[in-house]
Amino acid sequence: SYEPLLVRSLPVPENLYVTLIYSKVEVPTKDARKLIKDKVQLSKAIKQWGNIASLVAALYENDYEEIGRSMQDDIIEPNRSLLIPYFNEMKSISLENKALTFGISGSGPSVMALSKSKLDAENIEQKLNDFLTIKEIEHLSFVSKINQQGPYIKHEKWNYTVQIIMIIESILNKRFFNLCQKIKDCICLCHWKN
């Protein structure tokens, strides 16, 4: 619910991994939002609501295959994916290499694949890295286990507010790519449990 805002924690299967690819291409959220239609066909809405309900059930039941089946976006992805170079090719590569699902992270250009093992997630990362390198798309890639705890402050001496401001400044100044590299090199605010 939005009024009042209600946030619930959902369980996550023990061995769920994400492969995240951040391509250094600009996809302004404003432009991505323009691609979203004001109205949705009832049949698509019903399918999407069913997928959300299936996803919640799959998380509680640790059903990896159902997680993959339920994370299908027939409303936003078909339009927003047009702004992400080689989206369909990356999706095919991921699914051919044991990804449970593949989709857009946020409004893009980041994309993600979920897997049920670290080995599969790292294999997908390598295949996508190889593909994007051939296509000369500068990018960063990450593999992480989806943790049960969520983000937390790794170094208490860091001022949380200052770190958030620095992240926002980096994004606004289009230095996000460099920031991601710093995060990958362990200069980070949040620690994602591996």
Side-chain angles (χ1 to χ4, degrees):
S1 121
Y2 284 106
E3 293 184 24
L5 182 63
L6 179 62
V7 179
R8 301 278 179 167
S9 177
L10 293 173
V12 178
E14 181 64 30
N15 292 312
L16 191 61
Y17 284 81
V18 63
T19 303
L20 185 67
I21 302 291
Y22 172 76
S23 299
K24 193 175 179 183
V25 294
E26 192 173 338
V27 178
T29 301
K30 180 179 163 185
D31 293 343
R33 284 193 179 133
K34 287 179 184 175
L35 293 176
I36 300 172
K37 298 177 182 176
D38 289 337
K39 297 185 180 187
V40 176
Q41 290 178 343
L42 182 59
S43 60
K44 286 187 179 183
I46 290 170
K47 183 177 179 184
Q48 198 75 13
W49 294 327
N51 284 341
I52 292 168
S54 293
L55 175 60
V56 171
L59 290 171
Y60 275 96
E61 296 169 359
N62 293 314
D63 186 337
Y64 292 95
E65 283 67 30
E66 187 58 30
I67 289 170
R69 281 190 298 272
S70 64
M71 289 188 66
Q72 305 304 314
D73 179 357
D74 294 321
I75 296 175
I76 306 297
E77 183 179 293
N79 295 321
R80 280 196 173 169
S81 65
L82 300 173
L83 297 175
I84 301 170
Y86 303 108
F87 177 86
N88 291 326
E89 292 87 343
M90 290 190 290
K91 185 173 188 171
S92 293
I93 290 167
S94 298
L95 295 175
E96 289 166 7
N97 287 281
K98 300 185 181 178
L100 299 169
T101 189
F102 181 89
I104 301 169
S105 178
S107 61
S110 296
V111 293
M112 64 88 199
L114 292 181
S115 308
K116 59 181 176 180
S117 79
K118 185 175 184 180
L119 182 65
D120 289 344
E122 288 173 342
N123 183 49
I124 291 164
E125 178 188 31
Q126 186 61 54
K127 299 285 186 184
L128 292 175
N129 282 337
D130 292 346
F131 174 78
L132 291 171
T133 299
I134 289 169
K135 297 299 183 183
E136 299 180 348
I137 302 288
E138 194 173 351
H139 66 283
L140 294 172
S141 64
F142 305 90
V143 169
S144 179
K145 185 174 187 178
I146 306 294
N147 72 44
Q148 306 289 324
Q149 179 182 356
Y152 64 93
I153 297 174
K154 186 173 182 177
H155 300 287
E156 290 183 24
K157 65 181 181 178
W158 290 359
N159 182 313
Y160 186 77
T161 306
V162 170
Q163 293 300 314
I164 294 298
I165 290 169
M166 287 173 58
I167 290 169
I168 292 169
E169 284 179 348
S170 293
I171 293 169
L172 293 176
N173 292 326
K174 296 183 174 63
R175 290 182 291 155
F176 183 68
F177 195 71
N178 294 331
L179 177 68
C180 286
Q181 188 60 49
K182 289 178 185 175
I183 290 172
K184 191 170 184 181
D185 293 336
C186 299
I187 303 171
C188 62
L189 170 67
C190 296
H191 171 73
W192 296 98
K193 183 178 176 185
N194 288 319

